[in-house]
Amino acid sequence: MATVSERKPGIWKVQYRAPDPSKGGRLVQRSFTVRAPTKREAQALADERELDERRVHVAPNQYGTVADYLIHWSNNRPDTSKGKPPAPKTVERDKQYVQVINRHVGAVRMRDVGKGTFDALVAGLRSDGYSSRTVKNTWSCLKKAMREAWRNDLIRDDPSAKARAPHVPRSEATYATFEDVVETAGYLKGHMGRPDLAVYVRLIFSTGCRPAEMLAITWSDIDRNTHTINVDKTVTEAGDYQVRRETKTDSSTDVVDYAPSIDDALSDLHRVHLETKADRGLHWNPEGYVWPGADGLLPIRPTSLGRRVRDALRAIGIDHLTLYSFRHGSGTYMLEGGASIKEVQDHLRHSTAQLTTDTYLHVTERLRERKRSMFDGV
């Protein structure tokens, strides 16, 4: 039973003995203070905490070092808070982070993990020349793993509670203008002989879709009578390349509109696909993907497509843009045209308007000119 002694009015010192998992379940002295108006209430709080600690399962010392535990954790990832398994891309990415973590702090014993472990990891990553974003993501991976160890009673305390996350300077995302889209699509079609990629770029800008969502589109998803596209799946490139039957978020699943001016290019692209299927047989592109890969079974890989688009961007002198710049530019172009934030949010299929304004909208020169003209004559 815990002993309680008053240090000063309302503050009580509590002492008891409880098993320590890091020491093989051996009983150790615990001491802390509680706030309570009476000794009876302080005793009740102390007894409750002592009982909770004595219920803790003393796990065997099977993960002696951080490296041992992280390897096990990365290969046996628990479900997310929503009860779903983590995305394959997340699992593969965290395995890469684990390799980096183990190089720097893998030899640390699990029972010795603390704030200093996280600080040593950050210092090592920065000395290796990693970017601020990579340092933060690696730090977060170690935090997730250690919190899981704490929840499973492999370690006594959460070592990340006192560790401060490394700072990541906020950088302005790039966005493509209407002129950039026209020039990029023209180069892809005229100089690189890829009219299919020209249509892809125009559709991303017109619909505001994510690049991976657009790659998963099939011909049955496109309704050229109403100029709409059914967006209900995405592609993921982690380990085994696959098409997932769900979008990034529930709010992302929707029917989106595209510009009628793209109809002719879509018709030409569909005709080419029908001719290819006639030549190669029904086994080619059985799902009917608009942008099939070389094998005709899955869509073209995002990295392969992105490399070709980057080549075009580099050739026309706007190599600071990426595929996502066309999605960013889609929302910004609507804002320049006078659309409200709620309209842009609906166009980009965001769950909140805050995400739309903070991340995807940019103050362009046209918006600055509009602001200056509004106050002209004051």
Side-chain angles (χ1 to χ4, degrees), residues 95-274:
K95 286 183 178 180
Q96 295 175 358
Y97 290 146
V98 163
Q99 294 178 1
V100 178
I101 294 170
N102 287 342
R103 287 205 306 267
H104 292 279
V105 296
V108 177
R109 293 181 299 179
M110 284 290 288
R111 66 183 185 183
D112 296 333
V113 175
K115 176 180 178 295
T117 308
F118 286 84
D119 294 341
L121 174 64
V122 172
L125 294 174
R126 286 175 175 167
S127 66
D128 287 348
Y130 286 101
S131 66
S132 298
R133 175 62 61 183
T134 302
V135 172
K136 172 67 178 298
N137 291 341
T138 308
W139 183 94
S140 299
C141 179
L142 179 61
K143 177 181 178 179
K144 284 191 299 184
M146 291 300 106
R147 282 198 167 181
E148 187 66 24
W150 171 57
R151 294 189 186 100
N152 292 334
D153 303 326
L154 298 176
I155 52 179
R156 170 60 63 184
D157 301 308
D158 177 11
S160 67
K162 296 182 180 180
R164 177 176 292 184
H167 174 66
V168 179
R170 184 177 179 85
S171 58
E172 186 73 12
T174 59
Y175 65 94
T177 64
F178 183 87
E179 293 76 13
D180 292 336
V181 176
V182 173
E183 192 173 3
T184 304
Y187 190 88
L188 286 168
K189 180 179 180 180
H191 291 79
M192 298 182 66
R194 294 303 300 265
D196 56 331
L197 300 190
V199 175
Y200 176 80
V201 168
R202 293 171 63 189
L203 278 176
I204 289 182
F205 187 79
S206 173
T207 62
C209 284
R210 298 176 180 87
E213 292 173 344
M214 186 58 64
L215 270 186
I217 297 299
T218 63
W219 288 110
S220 60
D221 294 323
I222 301 177
D223 189 340
R224 277 176 281 175
N225 294 323
T226 59
H227 306 107
T228 58
I229 300 176
N230 180 39
V231 179
D232 61 355
K233 50 189 173 294
T234 187
V235 300
T236 178
E237 189 173 12
D240 294 333
Y241 179 48
Q242 60 179 311
V243 177
R244 297 177 60 193
R245 296 299 173 180
E246 70 270 357
T247 52
K248 182 178 181 180
T249 61
D250 293 337
S251 61
S252 299
T253 300
D254 200 358
V255 177
V256 301
D257 302 309
Y258 69 88
S261 57
I262 308 179
D263 265 337
D264 292 340
L266 278 174
S267 298
D268 294 340
L269 187 58
H270 193 203
R271 186 182 66 254
V272 172
H273 279 211
L274 292 177

Side-chain angles (χ1 to χ4, degrees), residues 257-364:
D257 302 309
Y258 69 88
S261 57
I262 308 179
D263 265 337
D264 292 340
L266 278 174
S267 298
D268 294 340
L269 187 58
H270 193 203
R271 186 182 66 254
V272 172
H273 279 211
L274 292 177
E275 294 173 354
T276 305
K277 183 176 283 292
D279 292 339
R280 301 181 61 173
L282 297 177
H283 65 279
W284 181 82
N285 195 15
E287 297 287 340
Y289 294 115
V290 180
W291 293 276
D295 58 1
L297 298 177
L298 291 173
I300 184 174
R301 283 182 175 268
T303 52
S304 178
L305 185 147
R307 187 161 49 248
R308 288 171 172 81
V309 174
R310 281 196 302 273
D311 290 342
L313 294 172
R314 192 178 299 112
I316 60 181
I318 50 176
D319 54 341
H320 63 284
L321 300 182
T322 65
L323 278 178
Y324 248 88
S325 301
F326 297 103
R327 173 171 162 85
H328 283 259
S330 182
T332 306
Y333 185 71
M334 286 187 65
L335 188 66
E336 288 182 339
S340 67
I341 295 296
K342 293 300 291 184
E343 289 175 316
V344 178
Q345 176 194 350
D346 179 72
H347 174 69
L348 297 177
R349 291 166 292 124
H350 285 157
S351 56
T352 64
Q354 186 71 30
L355 175 62
T356 306
T357 54
D358 287 351
T359 308
Y360 282 84
L361 298 184
H362 313 268
V363 179
T364 65

Side-chain angles (χ1 to χ4, degrees), residues 79-85 248-250:
D79 292 342
T80 63
S81 58
K82 296 182 179 180
K84 296 182 179 180
K248 182 178 181 180
T249 61
D250 293 337

